[in-house]
Amino acid sequence: MYQYLSFAIKTVWMGLFSVILFSSCEGALPDETQVVVCVPVYGQSLALGEEAVLITDADSLVKASSGRICSEGLSRSFGYYEDHGWKRRLKRLLHYPRRRFETSAYALAGELASRLGRDTAVCVIVGGAGATPISRLDSHSEAYRLFLDDIRLTHEAAAKRGARLLVPAVCWMQGESDMFDYTYVDYARQLRQFAVDLDRDIRRLTGQLEPVRVICYQSCCLSVCWEFNPLSIPCYELSIPQAQWQLVAQGDPFVAGAPTYPYDFVSDHLHLDARSQMEVGRIHAAAALDVLRHRSCQRGLWPLSVLRVDTAVSPDSSMLSVRFNHAVDIDTVHVSPADHYGLSVVTPQGTDILNRVTVRGQELLLSCSRSVQGCRVRYGANGNRGKSGRRYGARGNLRCRYPVADAYRPWCYLFDLPEGYRSVATISQPE
């Protein structure tokens, strides 16, 4: 009896393994497909969709695009993006119920497919690892190698059917672990190097001449960090989102993505919920279309200068002028009201002296209780302990007054700048 049972188990496993091993990785893309566009999502748990309940039906997603959406290797299998190889294929085959999350890549792919021609397919690739700092996601990491393997597999499958793979950009969604774990890295330097390595490696794989941009979101989970103090000088937690927006403001190869604070998080804590993942995906798709169509469009909102307003009566001014790259509006409906709309003016001694905020087009006037000399202007340095998102987390109420493109009014990036700041072409870490 034991021999028969053992033989049956072995037979089942061999059959299952054969299905996994030999099932074709290629999907039936439309015959007219000439180009496969892929805008991969790479990072840590927010990139992987951790905790976000899956609401996208893969079959419906593919059907809505007339069969023009596929996964890595031009397959029709989606999900389980933290796993690779046989483990991921096995879970997809068995529809394993755990770790099937909603990721921004689905909405991104759907939006791209609806805006690109019928001869263009869209490939979903998601890579990275949860709870991982930037140093373990760089070009020397195992997560990066597996990520490139998915791109290589897709390129080979596309070439086999006479199509071309184009990777115009990669969505970068990482930063929380460097904040939570207090890695004290030079985040801007490491992210710049990652962008250089990414461009080199993807172009080498695909043979494309077009450069690979980095669509950079902004990590905003400040108040989840154990040591976060909005009045501390310096404030390490703010240095991560600060580096992200300054790289975006510098431009090529970085492109503005979405700051996360205007969205809902699961249990208002650490991870974007499913609807928010979809919204981020749509914003990143619009940025990717800008890249594809060679449009120069500043979709983000950020400060250009922080200067004292000196007068003849009061040369030692108690007023600051903060000028932005777009006209500013106040929105306390979508994002819960924050004190002074999320702004603060912090003295070297760690006191917030801001009394009033006045909006004048592209300029904010900050009236303070005493001299602003040597102070720092912060945006989003607040929030309830252990919370994230638009209701209770680190947040602000500033966004563009007018749509920048596609009826989208970007939210302002979190920032931390000294009095006297003027934007420059080179990027440096916050003082």
Side-chain angles (χ1 to χ4, degrees):
M1 181 67 180
Y2 172 79
Q3 290 179 336
Y4 288 114
L5 181 61
S6 176
F7 176 77
I9 292 173
K10 288 180 180 179
T11 301
V12 170
W13 273 109
M14 288 178 65
L16 184 59
F17 181 76
S18 298
V19 170
I20 296 169
L21 184 61
F22 297 109
S23 58
S24 173
C25 67
E26 295 183 40
L29 291 177
D31 292 338
E32 62 266 35
T33 301
Q34 298 180 18
V35 179
V36 178
V37 168
C38 182
V39 181
V41 177
Y42 184 74
Q44 56 178 112
S45 54
L46 273 75
L48 301 169
E50 190 87 26
E51 285 194 284
V53 176
L54 182 66
I55 58 178
T56 295
D57 177 71
D59 292 338
S60 299
L61 182 68
V62 173
K63 185 177 180 180
S65 68
S66 301
R68 290 163 47 235
I69 292 179
C70 59
S71 188
E72 71 283 342
L74 308 188
S75 75
R76 297 293 194 204
S77 299
F78 300 87
Y80 308 105
Y81 287 114
E82 194 162 11
D83 297 317
H84 287 266
W86 69 268
K87 189 176 181 182
R88 181 166 64 186
R89 292 195 292 272
L90 177 61
K91 288 183 177 181
R92 287 174 172 178
L93 183 68
L94 300 177
H95 297 287
Y96 184 63
R98 297 183 62 189
R99 303 201 64 78
R100 296 182 69 204
F101 302 126
E102 186 72 27
T103 169
S104 62
Y106 296 144
L108 189 156
E111 189 70 18
L112 287 179
S114 70
R115 305 285 292 277
L116 297 174
R118 296 188 63 82
D119 63 346
T120 304
V122 179
C123 180
V124 174
I125 291 181
V126 180
T132 305
I134 189 172
S135 61
R136 287 168 46 206
L137 288 172
D138 65 13
S139 61
H140 305 290
S141 67
E142 179 68 6
Y144 185 82
R145 184 188 67 78
L146 295 171
F147 177 63
L148 288 186
D149 280 348
D150 282 343
I151 296 175
R152 177 188 54 77
L153 181 65
T154 305
H155 167 67
E156 292 173 353
K160 186 177 179 181
R161 57 165 295 133
R164 173 193 177 216
L165 174 65
L166 173 62
V167 182
V170 171
C171 298
W172 174 258
M173 298 181 68
Q174 191 279 339
E176 291 77 18
S177 283
D178 288 287
M179 295 162 65
F180 304 149
D181 298 335
Y182 294 90
T183 57
Y184 292 99
V185 296
D186 186 339
Y187 193 88
R189 182 186 62 80
Q190 292 204 24
L191 188 50
R192 277 198 303 268
Q193 186 59 53
F194 171 82
V196 170
D197 295 343
L198 184 77
D199 175 69
R200 177 200 64 213
D201 294 338
I202 290 180
R203 292 170 71 178
R204 183 181 297 164
L205 278 176
T206 65
Q208 67 188 60
L209 298 177
E210 298 88 345
V212 180
R213 313 296 189 195
V214 177
I215 300 171
C216 188
Y217 91 152
Q218 189 183 47
S219 308
C220 301
C221 302
L222 304 178
S223 50
V224 178
C225 301
W226 294 107
E227 299 177 20
F228 175 59
N229 177 358
L231 299 178
S232 66
I233 304 289
C235 182
Y236 170 74
E237 296 87 350
L238 265 170
S239 71
I240 305 301
Q242 174 83 355
Q244 289 167 336
W245 82 257
Q246 285 193 308
L247 288 171
V248 167
Q250 183 186 25
D252 185 22
F254 294 94
V255 179
T260 58
Y261 69 85
Y263 304 105
D264 289 316
F265 283 62
V266 178
S267 302
D268 297 304
H269 184 52
L270 187 57
H271 297 117
L272 291 167
D273 70 9
R275 297 291 180 188
S276 299
Q277 284 279 356
M278 295 176 75
E279 185 61 28
V280 169
R282 293 187 189 102
I283 292 169
H284 289 176
L289 285 168
D290 286 343
V291 174
L292 278 166
R293 294 169 178 171
H294 307 288
R295 291 189 304 212
S296 178
C297 180
Q298 286 191 343
R299 288 183 177 271
L301 177 65
W302 55 77
L304 300 177
S305 62
V306 178
L307 302 174
R308 282 187 297 171
V309 180
D310 293 324
T311 65
V313 177
S314 177
D316 193 13
S317 178
S318 61
M319 183 175 290
L320 284 165
S321 166
V322 184
R323 191 161 188 84
F324 291 81
N325 60 326
H326 295 293
V328 180
D329 197 12
I330 303 296
D331 187 336
T332 57
V333 176
H334 184 78
V335 173
S336 296
D339 289 346
H340 296 120
Y341 310 122
L343 292 152
S344 55
V345 178
V346 183
T347 67
Q349 293 74 38
T351 302
D352 182 7
I353 60 172
L354 180 58
N355 283 338
R356 186 175 69 255
V357 179
T358 305
V359 181
R360 292 184 178 177
Q362 289 183 235
E363 183 184 33
L364 296 183
L365 294 178
L366 310 183
S367 301
C368 302
S369 59
R370 58 179 185 263
S371 172
V372 297
Q373 187 172 5
C375 290
R376 300 192 71 88
V377 176
R378 290 175 174 170
Y379 175 68
N382 51 47
N384 295 4
R385 178 69 65 182
K387 298 294 183 181
S388 294
R390 67 188 183 96
R391 296 192 296 176
Y392 309 112
R395 65 195 186 278
N397 303 107
L398 305 182
R399 67 186 309 184
C400 284
R401 175 170 296 179
Y402 308 109
V404 174
D406 302 326
Y408 173 57
R409 296 166 57 210
W411 291 87
C412 185
Y413 281 107
L414 304 192
F415 61 83
D416 176 21
L417 294 171
E419 171 264 320
Y421 167 82
R422 293 176 187 268
S423 61
V424 292
T426 56
I427 298 299
S428 60
Q429 281 292 87
E431 297 174 7

